[in-house]
């Protein structure tokens, strides 16, 4: 069976072919865009998630001016209601002179973990029969003791007031997704049948980093799944590369099952 070093060479080759296949399409798109009658027009900055600021009133915007999400669009779009909260929080943090986007992420994740770890508190906050004023009092005290940033405070209080506490984990996750793009992070998941030794893990990560580029910060999550039998599968961004033995066996089985 192939070694991890052999698989790294195959992975390197697959990523190179993938990059070459994408490049011509990108150039063709750029050429078509240059030839467009709108090419000379200055594009108006479009909000990443229109209406987010109306759903979560995190910032006071002067009358007649654009909302915060228009002025500070997130580097990546996150869909759903949780995405609207995350985009509004990001825009509010970017609008602040100190731009505490990282602090908001850390505080939001800490608060979400604290609520998830307290069954009684979580149940009470998600219970629609409990008065919103009572929930806001409890949460307000918690946030005051934690000395969170005003943006974090306004976000959480908006979530409570709008009865969205059940979505808190998703909102926190959506905000972290935006922050990963903000930090130029690229997430990859590498799955093998057995845990890799540190040197082999570094080799795989180095292969992936080579194709991601030095401008991006690569974070790799190594997972173990015995069902792939051997080899490796890689999910990086929206791309999936499968070099597992299990997939090769399935491919061989399909070939053998075909009539002669």
């Amino acid at each position: 069976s192939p070694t991890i070093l052999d698989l790294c060479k195959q992975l390197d080759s697959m990523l190179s072919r993938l990059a070459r296949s994408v490049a011509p399409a990108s150039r063709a798109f750029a050429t078509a865009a240059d030839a467009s009658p709108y090419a000379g027009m200055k594009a108006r900055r479009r909000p990443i998630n229109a209406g987010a600021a109306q759903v979560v009133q995190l910032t006071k915007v002067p009358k007649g001016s654009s909302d915060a999400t228009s002025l500070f669009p997130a580097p990546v779009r996150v869909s759903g209601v949780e995405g609207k909260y995350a985009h509004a929080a990001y825009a509010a943090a970017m609008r602040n002179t100190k731009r505490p986007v990282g602090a908001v992420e850390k505080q939001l994740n800490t608060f979400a973990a604290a609520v998830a770890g307290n069954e009684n508190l979580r149940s009470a906050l998600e219970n629609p029969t409990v008065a919103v004023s009572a929930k806001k009092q409890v949460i307000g005290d918690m946030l005051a003791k934690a000395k969170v940033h005003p943006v974090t405070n306004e976000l959480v209080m908006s979530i409570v007031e709008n009865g969205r506490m059940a979505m808190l984990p998703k909102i926190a996750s959506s905000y972290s997704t935006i922050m990963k793009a903000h930090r130029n992070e690229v997430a990859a998941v590498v799955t093998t049948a057995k845990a890799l030794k540190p040197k082999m893990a570094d080799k795989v990560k180095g292969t992936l980093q080579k194709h991601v580029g030095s401008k991006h910060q690569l974070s790799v999550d190594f997972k173990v799944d015995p069902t792939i039998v051997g080899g490796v599968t890689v999910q990086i961004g929206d791309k999936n590369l499968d070099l597992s033995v299990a997939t090769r066996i399935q491919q061989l089985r399909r070939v053998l099952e075909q009539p002669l």
Side-chain angles (χ1 to χ4, degrees):
S1 61
T3 65
I4 291 296
L5 291 176
D6 294 330
L7 292 171
C8 282
K9 292 179 181 178
Q10 293 181 42
L11 184 62
D12 186 37
S13 177
M14 289 178 69
L15 288 168
S16 295
R17 289 199 301 273
L18 184 62
R20 287 196 296 271
S21 67
V22 171
S26 298
R27 288 195 294 270
F29 181 81
T31 301
D34 289 340
S36 167
Y38 303 104
M41 296 178 64
K42 185 177 180 181
R44 180 178 179 272
R45 211 169 196 182
R46 179 179 176 272
I48 291 291
N49 207 325
Q54 283 71 40
V55 175
V56 192
Q57 295 295 337
L58 295 179
T59 55
K60 293 182 179 179
V61 183
K63 187 176 181 180
S65 64
S66 301
D67 61 62
T69 52
S70 299
L71 297 172
F72 301 101
V76 66
R77 180 168 184 163
V78 184
S79 61
V81 175
E82 61 271 24
K84 291 183 179 181
Y85 280 88
H87 279 288
Y90 177 82
M94 289 294 289
R95 190 183 183 89
N96 187 281
T97 54
K98 294 184 179 180
R99 297 197 169 181
V101 288
V104 172
E105 179 188 23
K106 183 177 180 180
Q107 292 166 1
L108 183 59
N109 285 330
T110 300
F111 177 74
V115 173
N118 189 320
E119 181 63 26
N120 292 333
L121 175 62
R122 185 185 63 78
S123 297
L125 292 175
E126 295 180 6
N127 190 337
T129 63
V130 178
V132 173
S133 57
K135 295 178 183 179
K136 292 177 70 175
Q137 180 63 48
V138 173
I139 296 303
D141 291 342
M142 289 179 61
L143 298 177
K145 289 179 181 179
K147 297 180 180 180
V148 301
H149 192 277
V151 172
T152 308
N153 184 84
E154 291 180 36
L155 170 63
V156 174
M157 296 304 281
S158 295
I159 294 172
V160 175
E161 188 170 355
N162 294 334
R164 298 289 188 179
M165 280 304 297
M167 299 189 69
L168 179 61
K170 289 185 177 181
I171 294 172
S173 176
S174 295
Y175 189 86
S176 290
T177 297
I178 292 175
M179 284 305 299
K180 286 179 180 179
H182 177 88
R183 292 188 291 261
N184 281 331
E185 289 183 11
V186 175
V189 178
V190 175
T191 305
T192 52
K194 295 181 180 179
L196 296 180
K197 293 181 179 179
K199 287 185 178 180
M200 291 297 99
D202 289 342
K203 180 67 177 177
V204 172
K205 188 173 182 179
T207 301
L208 295 174
Q209 183 69 67
K210 171 185 173 183
H211 291 275
V212 167
S214 59
K215 292 183 179 180
H216 297 282
Q217 181 180 342
L218 177 68
S219 61
V220 182
D221 181 15
F222 288 95
K223 294 185 176 181
V224 175
D225 181 5
T227 62
I228 70 171
V229 184
V232 61
T233 66
V234 178
Q235 179 181 343
I236 180 166
D238 59 352
K239 301 175 182 64
N240 288 284
L241 305 176
D242 192 339
L243 297 173
S244 67
V245 172
T247 296
R248 293 181 181 181
I249 292 174
Q250 290 176 2
Q251 292 171 344
L252 179 60
R253 183 181 291 117
R254 283 196 292 270
V255 171
L256 294 175
E257 289 175 348
Q258 292 179 357
L260 297 176

